[in-house]
Amino acid sequence: MKSVQHPLRGALAALCAAAALAVAPSAHAEYPDRAISLVVGYPAGGSVDLTARLFGEELAKRLGQSVVIENVGGAGGTIGAQRVARAAPDGYTLLLGSTNEMVIARMINSAVKYDSVKDFSALGVIASQPMLLAASKNAGVKTAAEYLQKLRGAAPGSYNYGSSGVGTTLHLAGEMINQSTGTRAEHVPYRGVAPLVTDLMSGQLDYGMLVLSSGLPQVRGDKIVALGVTEKKRSPVAPDLPALAETPGFESVDISVWFALYGPAGLPEPVAAKLRGALAETLKSEQFRAKMQEAGGQLAQPGLDPVAYQADETRKYGALVKAAKIEAQ
């Protein structure tokens, strides 16, 4: 017997289909309708975490939803990055990424499985911060020129510099200085910045590479000696400190740690556009600029293409890693 479809059934089906089509775009237009998780791949208290907290406050204001900082530390920031790479691409799990996990990690460690280009949606660069070449007061040098003179007259291995670990931006900044000046200070990896600073202040370590915000309090307290910052120009955060590039022999030294906003790959364009817009507004805020400068950072130029910027940084760090033959330990 042939079945007869009730006339209301077809009408209901058509209404449901139309409703589904109507709901899909409006879901993105209403983003966000709940709290956003901003993942930081490091413990609380460091420069990446501080940047995330300052930026998170601004993002929450502009999106009208709370932004919760989620510290997922370990493996040089890569565990947190991996968590975001595997998250649903809905805009509710974002990453405050930095140079280490987004550029360097995969170059030196085959265990890192994510691709920092293909597995993420790059939303924008937030800020950068130079590093600082510092000396122990026992080292007997007060300027970059004296440092260079001392190392050029010494046997290889006579002097060393500390960083927060193998393959970190601090390590590669030290290697850039070695390569640029033709000198050879030996690398001493530490498990973080705190023990490095302790040894530098006590004279157990000759020289150290520090993020500017980590070293500036000790410089101001006359506990260590600042030889220069690693960007081409002086930092507006500490304009009294020279740039290393001002000293003959260091002209090609230009390196910094940067912070950027990422989502998982496949982020819907309406969601990505809303996040990019909130970031652009934040970069125009003088209040945010002042807070970042107080924390040691300087804001990125509005409109900076994060994909092109990351590609340039990848080429720069790739050359350093290859020349220094750096591998994860």
Side-chain angles (χ1 to χ4, degrees), residues 247-323:
T247 300
F250 291 88
E251 293 92 344
S252 60
V253 174
D254 185 19
I255 194 168
S256 61
V257 59
W258 47 264
F259 315 99
L261 182 65
Y262 296 87
L267 209 58
E269 179 53 30
V271 173
K274 198 158 192 179
L275 289 166
R276 286 194 298 265
L279 173 54
E281 290 177 17
T282 298
L283 292 180
K284 295 174 185 175
S285 166
E286 287 303 319
Q287 184 179 22
F288 182 62
R289 181 181 300 277
K291 286 181 180 179
M292 282 302 302
Q293 284 198 1
E294 188 178 344
Q298 47 197 320
L299 298 190
Q301 290 296 319
L304 180 64
D305 182 347
V307 176
Y309 181 80
Q310 184 170 317
D312 288 342
E313 290 291 287
T314 299
R315 284 189 286 272
K316 176 192 291 185
Y317 280 98
L320 286 171
V321 167
K322 185 177 180 180

Side-chain angles (χ1 to χ4, degrees), residues 3-279:
S3 62
V4 179
Q5 184 176 358
H6 195 287
L8 287 177
R9 187 178 298 171
L12 285 171
L15 285 171
C16 288
L21 289 172
V23 167
S26 68
H28 297 322
E30 292 167 5
Y31 168 85
D33 61 7
R34 55 189 167 89
I36 295 168
S37 175
L38 183 57
V39 175
V40 176
Y42 302 89
S47 58
V48 185
D49 176 72
L50 180 55
T51 300
R53 292 179 188 280
L54 293 175
F55 176 70
E57 290 176 4
E58 298 294 325
L59 194 61
K61 285 185 212 171
R62 286 165 174 77
L63 295 181
Q65 288 290 341
S66 59
V67 175
V68 179
I69 305 304
E70 187 178 351
N71 296 94
V72 185
T78 60
I79 294 176
Q82 183 169 283
R83 177 183 171 346
V84 175
R86 293 177 176 176
D90 56 12
Y92 291 99
T93 304
L94 305 174
L95 176 71
L96 197 296
S98 70
T99 320
N100 280 350
E101 65 273 21
M102 301 311 291
V103 170
I104 303 170
R106 202 161 179 237
M107 295 178 184
I108 66 172
N109 189 350
S110 60
V112 176
K113 299 303 181 186
Y114 61 80
D115 186 307
S116 60
V117 176
K118 295 178 181 178
D119 294 334
F120 294 88
S121 298
L123 297 166
V125 183
I126 300 169
S128 66
Q129 188 173 160
M131 287 160 276
L132 174 71
L133 175 62
S136 162
K137 298 196 77 172
N138 293 349
V141 300
K142 294 184 178 179
T143 66
E146 292 175 0
Y147 168 87
L148 194 53
Q149 183 179 15
K150 214 165 197 182
L151 263 71
R152 281 181 170 167
S158 299
Y159 294 99
N160 52 49
Y161 76 92
S163 86
S164 56
V166 173
T168 61
T169 48
L170 296 175
H171 177 194
L172 292 181
E175 290 305 313
M176 176 178 273
I177 290 169
N178 280 343
Q179 293 171 29
S180 300
T181 60
T183 58
R184 185 71 241 168
E186 296 298 324
H187 178 231
V188 179
Y190 281 77
R191 295 180 67 85
V193 172
L196 187 164
V197 171
T198 298
D199 278 3
L200 199 57
M201 290 191 297
S202 68
Q204 296 296 312
L205 182 67
D206 301 319
Y207 305 102
M209 293 302 313
L210 303 168
V211 176
L212 180 59
S213 58
S214 298
L216 203 53
Q218 284 71 36
V219 171
R220 298 288 190 239
D222 197 30
K223 295 176 181 176
I224 60 176
V225 180
L227 302 182
V229 297
T230 60
E231 289 180 334
K232 275 285 186 186
K233 296 180 179 179
R234 297 189 180 205
S235 169
V237 176
D240 56 316
L241 300 185
L244 288 171
E246 296 174 19
T247 300
F250 291 88
E251 293 92 344
S252 60
V253 174
D254 185 19
I255 194 168
S256 61
V257 59
W258 47 264
F259 315 99
L261 182 65
Y262 296 87
L267 209 58
E269 179 53 30
V271 173
K274 198 158 192 179
L275 289 166
R276 286 194 298 265
L279 173 54

